[in-house]
Amino acid sequence: NTPDYHPALHRIYRHLIPSAAGLGVKQVICFSGNRSGLSDPQGLENCAIGLAPLIPLAEKHGVTLVMELLNSKIDHPDYQCDHTAWGAALCERIGSPHFQLLYDIYHMQIMEGDVIRTIRDYHQHIGHYHTAGVPGRHEFDESQELNYPAIARAIEITGFDGYIGQEYVPSTEDPFEFLPRAVTLCSPS
């Protein structure tokens, strides 16, 4: 969203996109940047202008740029892409299946709540998901406010066939201890 950064970001992504494709990586994460006084419409315009030259390259290499939705309330103060509707408006503005959203369930629960309805309403713009428990961004279970089996079913109903990334911050000494349970909780069937 900051035009002064566009030339440097274009150089980075012009190398990153073909490199990712060469490794078989189909998605590359990008970020909106902080508002720094920009209105949401101006930030949207700046992001669209900045992303426009990269979309043909992503299409050519079969890579999708996914912009991560983050919360600006706790973890990322002033971050611009902090609501699904704003990110979806950017997707519509870009108008390519090679630009989608990374819907971080933890972050969007903090910013918006109503996760399942939001997934249903905007699933056509979502190319990847991240998980974590709320509150705390740790492992998720019955003590957390999110019901991941229900969320996983809602994602499955949309026809999504991509990845759900486990992005919680482990609270135990063994960072892999919870992972099998996380996978089970996020497996709808």
Side-chain angles (χ1 to χ4, degrees):
N1 66 0
T2 306
D4 290 348
Y5 298 156
H6 290 177
L9 289 168
H10 290 162
R11 279 192 305 276
I12 291 167
Y13 278 85
R14 282 191 180 111
H15 173 74
L16 183 61
I17 290 169
S19 295
L23 295 170
V25 175
K26 298 293 183 191
Q27 294 178 326
V28 173
I29 298 174
C30 62
F31 301 94
S32 67
N34 291 342
R35 285 182 176 88
S36 301
L38 287 174
S39 68
D40 281 346
Q42 187 62 59
L44 187 87
E45 174 74 14
N46 291 354
C47 282
I49 290 167
L51 288 162
L54 299 175
I55 300 305
L57 184 65
E59 291 171 348
K60 174 183 173 185
H61 290 282
V63 169
T64 300
L65 293 171
V66 288
M67 183 172 284
E68 188 162 4
L69 291 152
L70 301 173
N71 82 73
S72 61
K73 189 185 277 186
I74 296 170
D75 299 296
H76 303 279
D78 203 39
Y79 185 70
Q80 186 116 50
C81 188
D82 64 354
H83 282 81
T84 310
W86 189 92
L90 182 57
C91 289
E92 290 171 10
R93 180 78 181 268
I94 299 293
S96 170
H98 290 272
F99 179 78
Q100 295 184 316
L101 299 175
L102 190 167
Y103 187 86
D104 191 305
I105 297 164
Y106 160 81
H107 288 295
M108 290 303 92
Q109 172 65 9
I110 290 170
M111 289 305 295
E112 305 173 324
D114 206 10
V115 168
I116 291 175
R117 182 189 319 269
T118 303
I119 289 168
R120 287 179 188 152
D121 289 350
Y122 294 104
H123 69 89
Q124 70 275 18
H125 299 300
I126 299 171
H128 191 78
Y129 290 89
H130 279 171
T131 70
V134 176
R137 199 176 187 170
H138 298 296
E139 298 87 352
F140 45 91
D141 57 22
E142 300 78 24
S143 71
Q144 298 289 300
E145 62 188 58
L146 290 165
N147 180 344
Y148 271 97
I151 293 167
R153 281 191 297 278
I155 292 169
E156 181 183 44
I157 288 168
T158 70
F160 181 77
D161 64 353
Y163 292 99
I164 298 176
Q166 305 296 339
E167 200 187 39
Y168 61 89
V169 178
S171 63
T172 61
E173 285 188 32
D174 179 358
F176 297 104
E177 179 181 338
F178 180 73
L179 188 56
R181 181 133 192 258
V183 171
T184 300
L185 287 169
C186 291
S187 299
S189 302

